[in-house]
Amino acid sequence: MTHPSNHPHDGDPPSDVTRRIGLRRVVRAGAGLIVPAIIVIAGCSGSTNASQSAPQGVKGERAFPGAVGYGAASKGGRGGKVIAVTSLADSGPGSLRACIDDQGPRVCVFRVGGLIRFTTKPPVIRNPFLTIAGQTAPGGGITLAHDGGPLGLTPLLIKNTHDIVVRHIRVRNDRIGEDRGSEDSFTIENSERVILDHVSGSWARDELVNGYGDNDWITVSNSIFAEGIPKHDKCALLASDPKDAQHFSFIGNLCAHNGDRNPDINFPPGSCTEVINNVFYNAQSEFAEIWETYGGGPVALIGNSFIAGKNTHAATIGITRNVQGTKGLAKVYIADNQFEGEFVRKSPLIEEAEVTALPCPVTIAPQPAAQAYDQVVREAGAFPRDPFDRRVINQLRDRTGRIVQQPGVIDEIEPGVAYPDADGDGMDDGWESRNRANPRRADAWEDADGDGIANLDQFLDVLSRAAIQGSDF
């Protein structure tokens, strides 16, 4: 989470001590009422009609082709300034901070690749209508980190704002900050219409990705969140201290080597939460956790893979309902998930909250879990993948790797050479010439080929797809 001055308390549901007590209760109930720890290889749970339900996408123009989930209509920086990031410095002209702190609609494109280490307090994304297009970076892309100590705070914080799109950015918390509760990798706080897509986070001592406060219309998609640092190794806290109902999509992500909160789901009534087509690997105490301390909200878990690893054991729970401090019954829809390994598939406490029909329409047509697994292996994370993400993906494939105890070292990042952009409109000159745009005139927001997609939006999509496929744009 963010700086303690903004958070008078951790913002989490009951303490880890309470969680451990609750876990012991669930395990005893599991052994006595329904099932002990079981081995399920590629087994499915729940009904199978979810993929046949008509999805209801969010109204409005998509932030980019392929944007999914409740945040899909985020405007980002569309129509605004194209600001070139030309420096890896913490601040100053040409820095990422300068683009973040600018005002009005804007798109940050990168003319440099490498590590941006915030040696002062990391910037806060407060001004709305921003796109951070990490796929434009040359070489090995962009990694963010803090400098540890008292200023070792969450490197990418989106706070009190709206219409933010962040793609193909890595956050590696390789140094220890002084306040664990202020050291996520990514935080979304009191914000609306936000997309985190194709990002990667590691080594946070709080959550790797965290939703805090009064958020709404949020998507976290196609990302890798791995190796949280014990004793608070958590993948995703989707909501913390929510003030009102929220719409939150968690789609196509990989959580690997995190003890629990894979993810943590705790929303008020009237919310709509969808956890679709993710891969959850090597949890220790719990995979997906459903809490009711904010009154119990609806959630759909569809087409996910829950896979044991070296730290998973017979008492680990795949989908759990924690009833400590409950203020209302959740509505939990579970369908088409697959489980692999020796652990409790579902807590027996889920049965009371489980429903047979979707409590909210899903925003996408879910893939079968096995197909979604293959897509996560191919496409999750920031591209080009760095050695960390390649290693985590290989560990998932091989069913190897463990929860780590300390942050690792950020691998050297190839700086590369930026594509030519003579008119400074964010697009490659050669690509413009091949696609009817004008490389000698800034025409980012025109539609040269008449397909209804602005030139820059189309180019950024082409870059993203090419990076994922390892091809030339």
Side-chain angles (χ1 to χ4, degrees):
M1 298 187 188
T2 54
H3 195 274
S5 63
N6 299 322
H7 296 288
H9 52 82
D10 194 347
D12 294 341
S15 70
D16 288 337
V17 173
T18 306
R19 287 177 180 275
R20 289 194 293 271
I21 295 171
L23 175 61
R24 289 197 293 271
R25 290 174 179 166
V26 169
V27 170
R28 286 201 297 269
L33 295 179
I34 296 186
V35 289
I38 56 177
I39 299 176
V40 183
I41 304 298
C44 294
S45 71
S47 60
T48 59
N49 63 349
S51 60
Q52 300 169 5
S53 302
Q56 295 186 11
V58 175
K59 295 180 179 178
E61 185 177 359
R62 291 181 183 272
F64 51 86
V68 297
Y70 286 115
S74 174
K75 296 182 185 302
R78 180 180 292 124
K81 294 178 284 188
V82 178
I83 300 176
V85 177
T86 58
S87 168
L88 298 174
D90 170 280
S91 60
S95 66
L96 176 60
R97 185 189 297 268
C99 184
I100 286 173
D101 289 346
D102 210 315
Q103 297 188 0
R106 61 213 184 278
V107 179
C108 306
V109 299
F110 293 86
R111 308 296 294 165
V112 290
L115 172 64
I116 299 174
R117 185 179 297 282
F118 297 117
T119 56
T120 61
K121 184 177 179 181
V124 178
I125 299 174
R126 299 181 187 274
N127 298 330
F129 302 114
L130 170 66
T131 295
I132 299 178
Q135 66 267 43
T136 59
I142 292 293
T143 297
L144 308 182
H146 60 59
D147 203 31
L151 298 178
L153 307 173
T154 301
L156 200 150
L157 168 59
I158 300 167
K159 181 173 181 176
N160 298 333
T161 190
H162 58 86
D163 293 284
I164 307 296
V165 176
V166 179
R167 303 188 76 196
H168 294 283
I169 293 292
R170 296 181 294 265
V171 175
R172 305 270 181 250
N173 297 31
D174 64 325
R175 298 180 181 176
I176 300 296
E178 288 188 358
D179 182 3
R180 177 195 63 75
S182 300
E183 195 184 349
D184 299 326
S185 291
F186 300 86
T187 298
I188 305 169
E189 179 179 345
N190 296 328
S191 296
E192 295 186 351
R193 297 185 297 280
V194 174
I195 301 175
L196 298 179
D197 178 71
H198 285 291
V199 301
S200 178
S202 64
W203 307 327
R205 294 189 307 127
D206 205 23
E207 278 73 28
L208 290 163
V209 61
N210 173 31
Y212 182 89
D214 193 19
N215 295 316
D216 206 0
W217 307 104
I218 308 296
T219 292
V220 178
S221 55
N222 306 310
S223 297
I224 295 176
F225 304 108
E227 294 190 2
I229 301 302
K231 300 180 178 181
H232 203 79
D233 45 321
K234 316 293 184 182
C235 180
L237 180 60
L238 302 189
S240 181
D241 283 4
K243 305 300 187 293
D244 204 348
Q246 301 185 13
H247 296 76
F248 201 115
S249 299
F250 197 75
I251 299 173
N253 304 295
L254 169 61
C255 288
H257 307 313
N258 302 293
D260 58 8
R261 298 188 189 174
N262 295 282
D264 184 302
I265 304 155
N266 191 4
F267 288 84
S271 300
C272 288
T273 311
E274 53 184 14
V275 178
I276 299 176
N277 289 157
N278 303 282
V279 177
F280 305 118
Y281 175 52
N282 192 32
Q284 187 166 42
S285 59
E286 297 165 336
F287 286 87
E289 307 174 39
I290 298 157
W291 289 77
E292 299 169 333
T293 56
Y294 300 119
V299 57
L301 297 104
I302 307 171
N304 303 290
S305 294
F306 299 83
I307 303 171
K310 300 295 185 182
N311 298 101
T312 309
H313 50 80
T316 304
I317 305 178
I319 303 174
T320 186
R321 172 174 168 246
N322 291 299
V323 298
Q324 293 79 25
T326 182
K327 296 179 182 176
L329 187 65
K331 295 179 179 179
V332 184
Y333 180 83
I334 302 172
D336 299 335
N337 301 286
Q338 63 180 8
F339 298 79
E340 176 186 318
E342 184 180 358
F343 58 92
V344 179
R345 182 191 298 194
K346 291 193 300 183
S347 162
L349 296 175
I350 285 289
E351 184 175 2
E352 182 183 5
E354 197 166 354
V355 296
T356 58
L358 282 166
C360 297
V362 291
T363 64
I364 65 167
Q367 300 179 63
Q371 183 178 337
Y373 171 91
D374 290 340
Q375 182 166 324
V376 167
V377 167
R378 289 192 313 269
E379 299 185 8
F383 280 80
R385 281 177 172 160
D386 67 351
F388 177 93
D389 279 352
R390 293 198 299 270
R391 174 171 57 81
V392 168
I393 290 293
N394 287 335
Q395 289 172 344
L396 171 63
R397 285 194 183 109
D398 299 337
R399 306 299 193 255
T400 58
R402 303 186 66 89
I403 292 172
V404 303
Q405 299 301 312
Q406 296 292 331
V409 176
I410 298 174
D411 296 283
E412 186 175 349
I413 303 168
E414 172 62 40
V417 177
Y419 52 79
D421 180 14
D423 55 9
D425 59 4
M427 297 178 287
D428 174 79
D429 293 342
W431 183 89
E432 287 198 72
S433 296
R434 295 189 299 272
N435 290 273
R436 305 179 189 175
N438 189 340
R440 294 178 297 278
R441 180 174 60 83
D443 54 354
W445 304 115
E446 298 178 16
D447 180 11
D449 60 5
D451 65 353
I453 302 174
N455 296 336
L456 181 57
D457 282 344
Q458 185 173 350
F459 175 69
L460 295 179
D461 181 60
V462 167
L463 272 186
S464 176
R465 293 176 188 273
I468 292 167
Q469 296 167 5
S471 61
D472 191 347
F473 62 86

